[in-house]
Amino acid sequence: MDDAVIVVALLLMAATATAAVAQRDPARQALVLSVLGSFLAVLFTVFQAPDVGLSQLAVGSALTPLLIMLSVRKVRRRGRAEDGSKGGAR
């Protein structure tokens, strides 16, 4: 029973990691990274490390994707503002 859960968790992790790498949009990559963090937290819990799983859930599933999303948003806003100011100066 435990071996089957471990194999399923590893397969889900591998599939999600592949999906994160295959995404071209950074916002989508952050969302898939959040799912990957959740699967990794489940895997740590299956391996009898619930404290590490909780840490992974907080950092890998919530904080890191949130920081990536905020950074992408800021870069996109700055790019739009610079494009608007350059177009009006001509």
Side-chain angles (χ1 to χ4, degrees):
M1 174 68 179
D2 287 337
D3 292 337
V5 173
I6 291 171
V7 169
V8 168
L10 287 172
L11 288 174
L12 286 173
M13 255 188 39
T16 310
T18 304
V21 172
Q23 295 295 322
R24 297 186 66 90
D25 183 32
R28 287 186 182 173
Q29 284 178 342
L31 291 174
V32 176
L33 183 66
S34 177
V35 174
L36 177 63
S38 299
F39 286 144
L40 192 55
V42 169
L43 187 66
F44 283 137
T45 305
V46 168
F47 282 142
Q48 309 269 324
D51 53 339
V52 180
L54 285 173
S55 299
Q56 176 62 32
L57 195 61
V59 174
S61 300
L63 293 178
T64 303
L66 177 66
L67 289 174
I68 292 171
M69 293 292 287
L70 291 173
S71 300
V72 167
R73 181 177 173 202
K74 182 138 183 134
V75 167
R76 286 182 179 169
R77 272 188 176 174
R78 186 173 290 166
R80 276 191 240 134
E82 288 177 1
D83 287 345
S85 66
K86 287 180 184 176
R90 289 182 182 194

